[in-house]
Amino acid sequence: MASKTITPVLPDKIITGKEAGLVLCTECHKVHRYIPDAEQECKCCGAELHQRKPDSINRTWAFLIASMILYIPANTMMIMNVAYFGVDEPSTIMGGVILLLQMGSHAVAFVVFVASVLVPLFKMIGIMLILFSLKYKVNMTDRQRIKMFRFIEFIGRWSMLDIFVISILAALVHITGVAEITAGPAATAFGTVVVLTMLAASSFDPRLLWDYKRNNYKNTELNQEPAAD
Amino acid sequence: MQVVVIGRSQVINSRILLCHECDLLIENQDVCEACKVQCPRCGHILYKQKHNTISRSLAYALTALICFYPAVTQPIMTLEMSGLSQQQSLISGSLILLQEKYYVVAILTFLSSCLVPLFRLLLLTYVTLSITLNYYHKSLIWSFRLFHEMEEWGMLEVYMLGIIVAVVKLLSMAEIQPGFGLWAYAALLLSSILATTVLNPHEVWDALLERKTREEPC
Ligand SMILES: [Zn+2]
Ligand SMILES: [Zn+2]
């Protein structure tokens, strides 16, 4: 059953919940009056109330930098070893993609390349760009920023693909002396990168993107922002 | 830019909506039957008025829970090579990695492909079943919060893609037979996706908070 979507008219004078002294419970969506300098809990569901996620930018930076550091061993060290009749054949993430290409499985090679190389890279660069654009005036429209953030939140978990592939292969190809697939140290590094980038995205508060826009247009006459496309 | 809020309660029950993603304040918004309210500033869906989603979600969640048992215990795939065979199930990958002392990877795999999806299904069943049976307990509130918070960390669908990639990688090397666990797993994946997409969380919160206010007003 298709439901009708109602979009209220954007008011002439935009007021945010923060400016009105209100706070939204992000769990149960009840609106509360904000009490400054107090640890406030939602009276309905017990969740902590914050007008903005506390320390959002610093936490995001911390997770981001840690994930960037671990991204190096994740890509340079061995992620998987294939022992076939006693002959070892260690491979890196990119090595695995190239191997799939040589086998002729172009579609799967592309999927693995996107999930384990492009997604983490795009995610780290994307979060960094968003953080930089809040600090310095980077030429980026709001539409781009919001879309980028939503996309980053959505794709993050798919990079777990390579970790799952390794665990399936390690369980399945485990015939001693004939063929054995074992994980390598890069698997630990890569798994940690995925977790850290997911934590980085979830500690970022998207409302900060709109606050930034607002601070830049505060002095205009009607207190009116340019429309978001 | 003063907003006058009438009443002394901390919780504001008037028709004020705040956007989850951009904090825009919308006043006097009529919430109509069978419609969605979208934020005019950022496009986020503020409110969905969709009823009767709870019992359908419960049906799917129960189906998923039934599928969980064979999906974990039965082999997903069997590999045959030089007359020898090896089976793989949802948890055997984590166990092998644990034996090889890759603790981080083993725990990560186990959590995201097994424990978190199972726990979320249990929480969802608990909440939806209680609402259906008109039962209320304080733990329902945090159960549903936890269900929502763990959303990102259950990765059944990514694991499915992992199975496909693993099969393609092994095709040239050995013969692979699908096991009963694979079909159970596919059914589990489908019903758990349906259980979460069919559910309207706003309806659950309305039902839970209505029952809560009978005991103590919030
Ligand atoms: Zn709440
Ligand atoms: Zn909005």
Side-chain angles (χ1 to χ4, degrees):
Chain A
M1 204 176 67
S3 57
K4 198 168 53 162
T5 305
I6 289 186
T7 313
V9 189
L10 192 65
D12 287 340
K13 201 168 170 183
I14 287 173
I15 299 170
T16 63
K18 192 181 179 184
E19 290 161 346
L22 300 174
V23 59
L24 174 78
C25 173
T26 49
E27 303 282 342
C28 71
H29 305 277
K30 285 274 178 193
V31 179
H32 299 255
R33 198 172 307 172
Y34 182 65
I35 304 165
D37 308 317
E39 276 179 31
Q40 209 176 341
E41 254 182 22
C42 175
K43 279 267 159 58
C44 298
C45 75
E48 274 180 51
L49 294 177
H50 298 287
Q51 285 186 320
R52 300 292 178 263
K53 283 181 189 169
D55 238 357
S56 169
I57 289 181
N58 285 340
R59 284 186 199 184
T60 312
W61 268 120
F63 287 127
L64 183 68
I65 290 168
S67 69
M68 278 154 73
I69 293 168
L70 277 169
Y71 189 68
I72 300 164
N75 276 281
T76 50
M77 288 169 94
M78 173 193 85
I79 196 153
M80 196 169 76
N81 182 41
V82 184
Y84 202 54
F85 291 108
V87 184
D88 281 342
E89 203 183 295
S91 65
T92 56
I93 291 177
M94 263 321 276
V97 175
I98 292 166
L99 205 69
L100 276 169
L101 274 179
Q102 285 167 351
M103 281 163 62
S105 328
H106 299 277
V108 177
F110 179 72
V111 168
V112 175
F113 179 70
V114 169
S116 24
V117 182
L118 283 189
V119 167
L121 206 61
F122 182 81
K123 218 178 152 175
M124 288 187 293
I125 293 172
I127 295 174
M128 202 165 75
L129 268 179
I130 287 172
L131 288 172
F132 270 128
S133 77
L134 289 180
K135 198 161 186 189
Y136 310 102
K137 280 181 182 161
V138 175
N139 199 7
M140 228 170 141
T141 67
D142 301 295
R143 204 198 169 95
Q144 283 171 333
R145 257 198 293 257
I146 296 297
K147 280 203 166 156
M148 197 173 190
F149 183 69
R150 284 187 188 158
F151 187 62
I152 284 169
E153 264 191 321
F154 169 73
I155 56 172
R157 51 219 294 282
W158 288 93
S159 13
M160 274 296 281
L161 179 69
D162 231 22
I163 299 294
F164 289 152
V165 172
I166 290 164
S167 90
I168 294 166
L169 290 178
L172 207 52
V173 188
H174 204 70
I175 305 171
T176 318
V178 183
E180 247 181 307
I181 290 180
T182 45
T188 305
F190 188 74
T192 318
V193 168
V194 178
V195 172
L196 286 171
T197 53
M198 282 172 72
L199 288 174
S202 67
S203 40
F204 184 74
D205 193 328
R207 290 172 289 194
L208 292 173
L209 294 172
W210 296 92
D211 289 347
Y212 166 81
K213 183 186 179 184
R214 199 148 174 70
N215 293 336
N216 281 328
Y217 295 106
K218 225 167 197 158
N219 301 327
T220 51
E221 225 170 276
L222 257 174
N223 199 10
Q224 173 67 57
E225 308 167 353
D229 298 49
Chain B
M1 44 161 121
Q2 275 285 305
V3 172
V4 183
V5 183
I6 304 154
R8 279 156 74 204
S9 157
Q10 260 186 40
V11 183
I12 291 151
N13 282 314
S14 62
R15 295 182 299 175
I16 285 181
L17 290 175
L18 286 187
C19 177
H20 201 292
E21 294 223 331
C22 73
D23 210 23
L24 176 71
L25 184 123
I26 298 163
E27 282 178 284
N28 300 321
Q29 177 56 49
D30 285 318
V31 183
C32 67
E33 287 291 314
C35 67
K36 287 181 198 165
V37 180
Q38 193 183 30
C39 173
R41 199 183 185 204
C42 73
H44 184 69
I45 297 292
L46 300 170
Y47 195 87
K48 263 191 272 179
Q49 193 82 6
K50 206 168 76 179
H51 292 300
N52 305 321
T53 65
I54 291 170
S55 51
R56 271 191 293 159
S57 177
L58 171 64
Y60 288 127
L62 283 173
T63 317
L65 275 179
I66 294 166
C67 297
F68 220 104
Y69 184 71
V72 171
T73 52
Q74 300 294 308
I76 287 179
M77 289 183 283
T78 308
L79 173 119
E80 275 162 35
M81 191 190 261
S82 317
L84 295 159
S85 74
Q86 179 75 41
Q87 288 181 334
Q88 179 255 335
S89 71
L90 201 55
I91 47 171
S92 63
S94 311
L95 291 176
I96 294 273
L97 288 168
L98 209 61
Q99 275 171 21
E100 289 172 5
K101 296 195 168 58
Y102 281 101
Y103 299 116
V104 176
V105 190
I107 291 166
L108 204 57
T109 316
F110 180 63
L111 283 180
S112 55
S113 70
C114 211
L115 200 63
V116 172
L118 175 66
F119 196 49
R120 285 192 76 221
L121 281 173
L122 288 171
L123 290 174
L124 182 62
T125 312
Y126 175 49
V127 172
T128 50
L129 190 67
S130 303
I131 294 173
T132 315
L133 298 176
N134 218 353
Y135 162 81
Y136 177 79
H137 187 263
K138 263 190 271 176
S139 60
L140 283 166
I141 302 266
W142 66 254
S143 298
F144 195 62
R145 271 178 56 198
L146 204 58
F147 167 77
H148 192 71
E149 268 166 31
M150 292 195 302
E151 190 175 11
E152 248 194 325
W153 301 94
M155 304 184 192
L156 286 177
E157 68 279 23
V158 185
Y159 195 85
M160 193 69 191
L161 192 61
I163 294 176
I164 297 168
V165 172
V167 168
V168 171
K169 279 198 171 187
L170 290 174
L171 274 180
S172 62
M173 204 167 151
E175 206 162 302
I176 299 146
Q177 301 289 333
F180 181 66
L182 183 64
W183 312 123
Y185 181 76
L188 161 68
L189 176 65
L190 192 70
S191 41
S192 71
I193 287 175
L194 281 170
T196 38
T197 48
V198 132
L199 188 74
N200 176 11
H202 295 288
E203 196 194 349
V204 176
W205 278 121
D206 286 348
L208 286 180
L209 294 181
E210 189 206 320
R211 281 166 178 76
K212 189 198 161 137
T213 41
R214 272 185 225 155
E215 293 186 0
E216 43 165 339
C218 83

